[in-house]
Amino acid sequence: MTRPKVLIIDDAETMRRSVIDALTPAGFSVLTASDGFRGIATLKETLDLCLVIIDLNMPGMSGFGVLEWMRKDGSPHLPPAVFMTTEVSESALEQAKSAGAVGWLIKPCRPEQLVAVAKRILAKRNANGS
């Protein structure tokens, strides 16, 4: 059985490592991108992602920029997106929801939170036949 693939897009190596450390033992394969542009390249190349976790504030292209590209691309293979950020403002949360994010994690988040979110989204996708 293939391991479900998750992409983490975050400019901080420590955050990418924490996602790998949390999700790999839980049965996920984790791909990483250090900025929005690399994240989009990975999204274009990897057709079997089950989830993308995106940092909101990154140099070059923000998480909102990545989400905007995903929405405009409209490819059926694009995975659901969750923001993982230090941003806690209600306006940013509303902007994320209207841009299409399906979840929001506040940094630093506990490994069990990451695993729970990833499993919940994977179960929902599987139930929908995606």
Side-chain angles (χ1 to χ4, degrees), residues 10-60:
D10 197 307
D11 58 313
E13 172 66 30
T14 54
M15 291 312 301
R16 294 191 307 270
R17 174 54 46 201
S18 71
V19 171
I20 291 168
D21 291 347
L23 294 182
T24 301
F28 292 88
S29 174
V30 182
L31 303 158
T32 64
S34 58
D35 62 46
F37 299 107
R38 287 181 179 96
I40 287 173
T42 302
L43 285 164
K44 288 178 180 178
E45 296 166 0
T46 312
L47 304 181
D48 59 346
L49 290 166
C50 72
L51 172 65
V52 59
I53 301 170
I54 310 168
D55 182 18
L56 181 60
N57 299 307
M58 295 181 286

